[in-house]
Amino acid sequence: MIRDHICATPSVQLLQHEWAKHGSCMGTTPAAYFSRSTALYRQVRYPDMRALSRRPALTVGQFAAAFASANPGMDAAMLRVTVDRRGWLDEVWLCLDTGFHTARCPAHQGGAAARARLKIWRDG
């Protein structure tokens, strides 16, 4: 199971956490849960990360808007963007409802403020 899904969920600990916290309550098998989540991962489209990385004053809000724009039916409120202490992009979370459809992220879920500066690493 882990080998089949490690490309979409990049750590064994995260796979275990996702099943324990979310999948085990959905009345399905681990295989079905992870097959569905991996299929969703494969549908995600990324904005032009190189172009975004070159913006001198990129904000989390601008990044979220660009990410949402690359994915029809999504808006920036459906994303949670986290940054490290130095302002580098750390994670992008897509909020989903129990039917695996994108949904607005709960206000209490955290993430960086839309006005926070964001840096994206690029090679070269």
Side-chain angles (χ1 to χ4, degrees), residues 16-30 33-34 100:
Q16 292 169 335
H17 163 82
E18 291 301 310
W19 173 252
K21 174 119 184 181
H22 307 293
S24 62
C25 298
M26 297 191 74
T28 189
T29 65
Y33 175 78
F34 286 116
F100 284 85

Side-chain angles (χ1 to χ4, degrees), residues 28-95:
T28 189
T29 65
Y33 175 78
F34 286 116
S35 290
R36 191 158 188 195
S37 66
T38 297
L40 288 169
Y41 171 78
R42 289 182 179 139
Q43 292 176 12
V44 173
R45 300 295 168 244
Y46 293 86
D48 185 341
M49 299 295 278
R50 183 170 291 276
L52 288 170
S53 73
R54 295 187 186 286
R55 287 192 188 175
L58 180 65
T59 65
V60 167
Q62 291 167 337
F63 173 78
F67 200 101
S69 180
N71 292 278
M74 187 183 294
D75 68 56
M78 297 171 173
L79 300 167
R80 176 181 140 191
V81 178
T82 64
V83 299
D84 70 12
R85 285 182 269 182
R86 294 178 21 213
W88 291 98
L89 177 62
D90 185 38
E91 293 180 317
V92 178
W93 293 32
L94 304 180
C95 296

Side-chain angles (χ1 to χ4, degrees), residues 93-111:
W93 293 32
L94 304 180
C95 296
L96 304 173
D97 62 20
T98 57
F100 284 85
H101 301 100
T102 51
R104 296 179 76 81
C105 295
H108 70 277
Q109 197 171 43

